[in-house]
Amino acid sequence: MSDKPKIAVIGAGLAGMRLTQRLRGAATVTVFEKSRGIGGRMSTRRAGERRFDHGAQYFTARGAAFRDFLAPFVAGGTVAVWEPRLMNEVVRDAAGPAGEDDAGSTRYVACPGMNSLCRAMGQGADVALATRVATISRDGATWSLKTTGDTLLNGFDYVLCTAPSVQTKDLMPAEFAGHEALAGARMAGCYSLMLGFELPPALSWDAAFVKDGPLSWIAANHSKPERSGAEMLCQSDNAWADENIERDQDEVRETLMAAFTEVTGTDARQADYKSLHRWRYAKMTTPAGAPCLFDAARGLGAAGDWCGGGRVESAFDSGNALADAVLQDMRSAQPGA
Ligand SMILES: Cc1cc2nc3c(=O)[nH]c(=O)nc-3n(C[C@H](O)[C@H](O)[C@H](O)COP(=O)(O)OP(=O)(O)OC[C@H]3O[C@@H](n4cnc5c(N)ncnc54)[C@H](O)[C@@H]3O)c2cc1C
């Protein structure tokens, strides 16, 4: 039997998979993910032959740590540069989907779908999919998790949660020292509208930041490397999504389809595949203000894009920061440390 510490990581998005990569050598790590796939908000919807990146659209790498991490994935083809023709007339000079101006930055995508990076990171890892953690409770010196299916999982020395901040706040035990920071973090919603056509709409651009109205972004998903087909992906404005989050979903879809038609001149009703995805917690609007939240005394931690910049790279950085803190704690717990 292994005498390595036992760690539960909640969430198989980039922060969770980075934590897992970093901690696997020193601990027995199990990842619990409520969805049926790995990737979190770096997600790809499959519909027959069609593929839509309906979460993160692309990512940038501003820091050396993320650039160095990406280099082997770029060399191996799991990550590629996307150079879309951006529609200048409606390009926002700030506040794109990732919250800042990316002009001049290299835009990367994972291939063949946005979830491919986390999937590659998760190879060989112990990931329990379709497993939603419902409660975390003390059981003597360790932690127990209960799933929504009422399965009890015992004996974790550390529990590290990477769900969006609101969900992390709901899940973490009351004694977790990170609650105040979690309460300060804010996230906004977003709707993703997926439209599949028989042929690609005739457009002079591949992607556009849309200025006014309910949409904020439209992209030809098929223009990304290693994609084909005729798939258009639209994202709503975050404030608009929050205002309409409980609205009838058919109405939301119709409204966004009308906006697509208006911006592109292509009738959205011609699409033979139309689907709407609601993200309640898509984008960080107020960060928690720490690289990660770690309560060493209790063996509880939290990480995610909401700790920092609300981007893919922020999730990576936060996962790294929490891995550093846990490894340091494990070292200091060793006899003679
Ligand atoms: C529509 C949209 C567009 C975006 N566009 C961009 C962009 O262009 N560029 C960019 O850099 N970023 C973008 N982002 C943000 C980017 O996707 C995130 O910053 C990043 O993916 C967050 O990673 P994470 O690991 O912190 O969280 P997540 O990816 O959200 O991972 C958390 C995981 O926890 C799981 N989970 C939650 N609760 C439980 C539970 N109780 N039990 C088990 N599992 C649970 C979730 O299912 C999820 O898989 C976008 C996001 C959205 C939604």
PDB file of all heavy atoms in Angstrom, residues 99 163 178 261 273 281 303 317:
ATOM      1  N   GLY A  99     -11.323  39.387 -21.901  1.00  0.00           N
ATOM      2  CA  GLY A  99     -11.357  40.510 -20.995  1.00  0.00           C
ATOM      3  C   GLY A  99     -10.302  41.579 -21.239  1.00  0.00           C
ATOM      4  O   GLY A  99     -10.280  42.579 -20.557  1.00  0.00           O
ATOM      5  N   ALA A 163     -13.264  24.333  -9.112  1.00  0.00           N
ATOM      6  CA  ALA A 163     -14.538  24.765  -9.720  1.00  0.00           C
ATOM      7  C   ALA A 163     -14.572  26.292  -9.749  1.00  0.00           C
ATOM      8  O   ALA A 163     -13.846  26.949  -9.007  1.00  0.00           O
ATOM      9  CB  ALA A 163     -15.695  24.215  -8.889  1.00  0.00           C
ATOM     10  N   GLY A 178     -10.166  30.129   3.091  1.00  0.00           N
ATOM     11  CA  GLY A 178     -10.269  30.930   1.865  1.00  0.00           C
ATOM     12  C   GLY A 178     -11.639  31.537   1.610  1.00  0.00           C
ATOM     13  O   GLY A 178     -11.856  32.184   0.573  1.00  0.00           O
ATOM     14  N   THR A 261     -27.583  36.998 -37.704  1.00  0.00           N
ATOM     15  CA  THR A 261     -28.051  37.312 -39.059  1.00  0.00           C
ATOM     16  C   THR A 261     -27.749  38.768 -39.393  1.00  0.00           C
ATOM     17  O   THR A 261     -27.277  39.092 -40.496  1.00  0.00           O
ATOM     18  CB  THR A 261     -29.568  37.029 -39.166  1.00  0.00           C
ATOM     19  OG1 THR A 261     -29.799  35.660 -38.824  1.00  0.00           O
ATOM     20  CG2 THR A 261     -30.087  37.300 -40.564  1.00  0.00           C
ATOM     21  N   TYR A 273     -27.786  22.886 -37.865  1.00  0.00           N
ATOM     22  CA  TYR A 273     -27.520  22.572 -36.460  1.00  0.00           C
ATOM     23  C   TYR A 273     -27.537  23.876 -35.678  1.00  0.00           C
ATOM     24  O   TYR A 273     -26.820  24.830 -36.014  1.00  0.00           O
ATOM     25  CB  TYR A 273     -26.153  21.882 -36.293  1.00  0.00           C
ATOM     26  CG  TYR A 273     -25.840  21.563 -34.849  1.00  0.00           C
ATOM     27  CD1 TYR A 273     -26.335  20.408 -34.255  1.00  0.00           C
ATOM     28  CD2 TYR A 273     -25.074  22.439 -34.073  1.00  0.00           C
ATOM     29  CE1 TYR A 273     -26.074  20.126 -32.914  1.00  0.00           C
ATOM     30  CE2 TYR A 273     -24.816  22.160 -32.743  1.00  0.00           C
ATOM     31  CZ  TYR A 273     -25.322  21.001 -32.167  1.00  0.00           C
ATOM     32  OH  TYR A 273     -25.067  20.724 -30.844  1.00  0.00           O
ATOM     33  N   TYR A 281     -21.180  30.692 -15.069  1.00  0.00           N
ATOM     34  CA  TYR A 281     -19.936  31.283 -14.571  1.00  0.00           C
ATOM     35  C   TYR A 281     -18.883  31.132 -15.664  1.00  0.00           C
ATOM     36  O   TYR A 281     -18.184  30.121 -15.729  1.00  0.00           O
ATOM     37  CB  TYR A 281     -19.492  30.582 -13.287  1.00  0.00           C
ATOM     38  CG  TYR A 281     -20.599  30.530 -12.263  1.00  0.00           C
ATOM     39  CD1 TYR A 281     -21.206  29.322 -11.925  1.00  0.00           C
ATOM     40  CD2 TYR A 281     -21.071  31.697 -11.683  1.00  0.00           C
ATOM     41  CE1 TYR A 281     -22.238  29.275 -11.018  1.00  0.00           C
ATOM     42  CE2 TYR A 281     -22.117  31.663 -10.774  1.00  0.00           C
ATOM     43  CZ  TYR A 281     -22.704  30.443 -10.442  1.00  0.00           C
ATOM     44  OH  TYR A 281     -23.735  30.405  -9.552  1.00  0.00           O
ATOM     45  N   ALA A 303      -8.105  26.745  -6.480  1.00  0.00           N
ATOM     46  CA  ALA A 303      -7.374  27.424  -7.564  1.00  0.00           C
ATOM     47  C   ALA A 303      -8.309  27.551  -8.750  1.00  0.00           C
ATOM     48  O   ALA A 303      -9.298  26.827  -8.867  1.00  0.00           O
ATOM     49  CB  ALA A 303      -6.140  26.616  -7.959  1.00  0.00           C
ATOM     50  N   ASP A 317      -1.583  29.362 -14.197  1.00  0.00           N
ATOM     51  CA  ASP A 317      -0.757  29.988 -13.160  1.00  0.00           C
ATOM     52  C   ASP A 317      -1.276  29.649 -11.763  1.00  0.00           C
ATOM     53  O   ASP A 317      -0.503  29.399 -10.842  1.00  0.00           O
ATOM     54  CB  ASP A 317      -0.737  31.517 -13.329  1.00  0.00           C
ATOM     55  CG  ASP A 317       0.099  31.948 -14.531  1.00  0.00           C
ATOM     56  OD1 ASP A 317       0.928  31.139 -15.016  1.00  0.00           O
ATOM     57  OD2 ASP A 317      -0.087  33.085 -15.008  1.00  0.00           O
TER      58      ASP A 317
END
